[in-house]
């Protein structure tokens, strides 16, 4: 599995409370909507107005290309998602009963969840949403609509539509989980995504193992852009491409990419946009690799974007890429910080606690920059990462480098929205920790992301002959663990002071404390009672924190303290904690370098999965009282092209006034090439 290189917004967002409120306060309203376990925010795009007209046009065209892909992800996430979304929207927009009734409110909440999850499953837990309105209400409302308002298949009646969708929406046993990672089960048959159909895990593995040549030094990303199905007993790959699966959406994307190509900032950018277009037109994964190389090498353009089938968290076997787009431009000032880090990449690699034989002799092309997101789409919307590191193919990363970015306007929006929510006061051990976090966390959080993305993922090497997929289902978790440990280890290093990136040698303690608190306790707010930890980033944080707790026990490095019936965590020895991080980093790198599946599995299963029900219940209770949404996401700004009498674009306007429901309905209306 090689598509693990995205950093999901961590619980950092919950614990940061900024000290300079007065300085940052503005009329800008970050909070947009609140439902279920979700808070929807909006983000600013500072600096957009200062871009050249050409750059604004480029961003405008790329935005259009981004929005055209929304339906693809809905369909990848589940075969009924688009029909369900259309049906729910038809009911919602035509409803003329009592909008204050409990049933309608529950219906509206469910629709908001479906929009947020890009389907009927939770974007993070992968569990199916539980509707709080009745199947009778749903049937009644659908049947009351004129048939032309419904997404009926050829010859289908409203009754038949209801009969098809009802179990999918209401029966908890039907399509229960979008991605199932439970050990010992058929992960393909038990996952409800639409990336495979009528095929077992064994058949999938056999199919791809046959295609793979273990001696191939530059393998394509097998299966990245296809649906694997069985037709007449034969296994067949259906490529996502113009004229193929999702062709109607891809052709629209290509239309806008061609416009973008015309206003490219330079030849390098023009070249990779052109290559991306031919990838979409042919579906050829060799072309995708050529595109990825051109893209990785374009480090001069200010405007940049991702548009394609990229991350594979939605596939239990980690092959199929979920469609996403992120359009952005470089934040020049903040980029100086990450450039300084990546200029020193070799020093960090040489001085890490990892065994020499697992280190890279030369760390290549770790480009790092801080970006301003201009639009989020597909798998980056509404829930969005705060950093990305692409391309994912290991050999391209090794031979041509990769781009690491942190998305500062998103991080800032999280911080601003989280101010004064009472979280630290409830969970931190004492004022000392709270003060340290207030003072340093907004900086150390950013640095942690920088180090994770710019250095962590790029560090270390596989021993010759080791299969990059050797760690199988544990690969994602262990890769994130490695990158996080690399970041944690160096946050406490004097090198950061020397480079002038941090100004206080104690600052790292704020991040260490938050990390341990989050890994052992507060991230459990995202897990339902009785459930295991499943998501890779959460597993990675739990693995690190639990391992450090256990291995530091003799020295009392981390301590659980009971006070007034509540559990608190106290870190007694930060220096020893750093040593422990270093030790675990060395071991994880060994596991990765040697492809030691057994050892990797043991670590994950022992430390990262099972939850202590007692502490879990306590955390959930305390957290519930704070009434904070555990998940956050964003609405996009609206971009409008201003044209002259000849239709030439003379300016692009940006507005921030759209609410969540309006945005979702507008996208469904204006950007829905896969629905009728
Ligand atoms: Zn990562």
């Amino acid at each position: 599995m090689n598509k693990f290189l995205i950093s999901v917004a961590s619980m950092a967002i919950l614990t940061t409370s900024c000290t300079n409120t007065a300085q940052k306060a503005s009329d800008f309203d970050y909070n947009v909507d609140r439902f279920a376990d979700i808070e929807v925010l909006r983000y600013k795009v500072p600096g957009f107005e200062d871009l050249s007209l050409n750059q604004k046009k480029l961003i405008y065209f790329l935005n259009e290309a981004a929005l055209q892909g929304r339906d693809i992800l809905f369909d990848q996430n589940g075969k009924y998602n688009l029909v369900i979304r259309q049906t729910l929207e038809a009911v919602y927009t035509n409803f003329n009963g009592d909008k204050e009734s409990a049933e309608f409110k529950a219906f509206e909440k469910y629709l908001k969840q479906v929009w947020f999850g890009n389907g009927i499953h939770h974007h993070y837990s992968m569990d199916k949403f539980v509707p709080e309105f009745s199947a009778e209400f749903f049937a009644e409302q659908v049947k009351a609509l004129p048939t032309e308002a419904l997404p009926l298949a050829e010859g289908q009646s409203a009754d038949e539509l209801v009969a098809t969708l009802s179990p999918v929406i209401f029966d908890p046993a039907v399509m229960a989980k979008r991605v199932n990672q439970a050990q010992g089960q058929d992960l393909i048959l038990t996952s409800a995504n639409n990336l495979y159909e009528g095929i077992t895990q064994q058949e999938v593995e056999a199919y791809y193992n046959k295609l793979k040549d273990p001696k191939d030094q530059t393998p394509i990303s097998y299966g990245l852009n296809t649906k694997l199905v069985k037709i007449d007993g034969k296994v067949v790959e259906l490529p996502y491409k113009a004229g193929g699966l999702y062709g109607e959406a891809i052709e629209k994307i290509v239309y806008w990419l061609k416009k973008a190509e015309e206003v490219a900032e330079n030849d390098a950018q023009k070249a990779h946009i052109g290559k991306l277009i031919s990838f979409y037109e042919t579906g050829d994964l060799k072309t995708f690799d050529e595109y990825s190389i051109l893209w990785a090498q374009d480090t001069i353009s200010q405007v940049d974007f991702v548009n394609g089938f990229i991350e594979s968290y939605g596939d239990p076997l980690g092959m199929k890429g979920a469609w996403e787009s992120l359009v952005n431009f470089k934040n020049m000032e903040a980029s100086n910080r990450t450039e300084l880090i990546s200029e020193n990449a070799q020093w960090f690699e040489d001085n890490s606690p990892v065994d020499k034989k697992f280190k890279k002799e030369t760390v290549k092309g770790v480009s790092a920059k801080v970006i301003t997101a201009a639009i989020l789409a597909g798998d980056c919307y509404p829930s969005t990462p705060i950093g990305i590191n692409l391309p994912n193919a290991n050999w391209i990363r090794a031979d041509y480098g990769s781009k690491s970015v942190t998305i500062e306007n998103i991080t800032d929006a999280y911080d601003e929205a989280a101010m004064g929510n009472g979280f630290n006061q409830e969970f931190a051990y004492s004022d000392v920790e709270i003060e340290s976090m207030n003072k340093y966390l907004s900086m150390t959080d950013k640095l942690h992301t920088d180090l994770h993305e710019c250095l962590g993922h790029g560090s270390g090497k596989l021993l010759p002959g080791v299969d990059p997929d050797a760690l199988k289902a544990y690969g994602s978790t262990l890769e994130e663990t490695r990158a996080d440990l690399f970041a944690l280890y160096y946050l406490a290093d004097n090198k950061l002071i020397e480079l002038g990136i941090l100004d206080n040698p104690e600052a790292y303690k704020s991040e260490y404390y938050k990390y341990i608190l989050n890994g052992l306790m507060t991230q459990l707010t995202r897990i339902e009672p009785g459930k295991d930890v499943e998501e890779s980033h959460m597993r990675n944080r739990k693995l690190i924190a639990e391992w450090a707790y256990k291995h530091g026990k003799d020295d009392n490095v981390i301590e659980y303290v009971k006070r007034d019936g509540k559990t608190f965590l106290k870190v007694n020895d930060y220096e020893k904690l750093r040593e422990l991080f270093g030790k675990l980093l060395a071991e994880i790198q060994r596991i990765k370098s040697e492809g030691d599946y057994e050892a990797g599995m043991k670590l994950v299963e022992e430390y990262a999965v099972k939850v202590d029900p007692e502490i879990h219940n306590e955390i959930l209770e305390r957290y519930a009282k704070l009434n904070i949404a555990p998940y956050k996401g964003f609405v996009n700004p609206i971009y409008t092209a201003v044209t002259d009498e000849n239709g030439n674009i003379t300016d692009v306007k940006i507005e921030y006034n759209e609410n969540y429901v309006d945005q979702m309905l507008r996208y469904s209306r204006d950007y829905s090439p896969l629905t009728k």
Side-chain angles (χ1 to χ4, degrees), residues 146 268 316 333 418:
E333 244 178 69

Side-chain angles (χ1 to χ4, degrees), residues 359-405:
K359 287 182 184 177
K360 279 202 179 96
E361 292 79 17
T362 20
V363 186
K364 259 193 222 171
V366 187
S367 94
K369 59 177 178 173
V370 178
I371 60 169
T372 303
I375 205 140
L376 313 164
D379 209 25
C380 295
Y381 170 86
S383 172
T384 191
I386 51 173
I388 55 173
N389 183 322
L390 293 170
N392 278 331
N394 280 319
W395 67 269
I396 297 181
R397 303 168 66 79
D399 293 352
Y400 300 94
S402 60
K403 280 195 226 177
S404 278
V405 300

Side-chain angles (χ1 to χ4, degrees), residues 480-490 544 581 584-585 588:
E480 292 309 327
T481 305
R482 193 178 69 116
D484 257 3
L485 285 166
F486 203 92
L488 288 166
Y489 181 78
Y490 278 117
I544 292 172
F581 288 154
L584 184 57
L585 172 59
I588 300 281

Side-chain angles (χ1 to χ4, degrees), residues 4-8 313 387 389 452-453 457 479-481 483-484 537 540:
F4 32 62
L5 300 148
I6 197 158
S7 168
V8 172
Y313 301 104
N389 183 322
H452 175 117
E453 298 290 348
H457 280 309
E479 173 61 21
E480 292 309 327
T481 305
D484 257 3
H537 296 82
N540 124 49

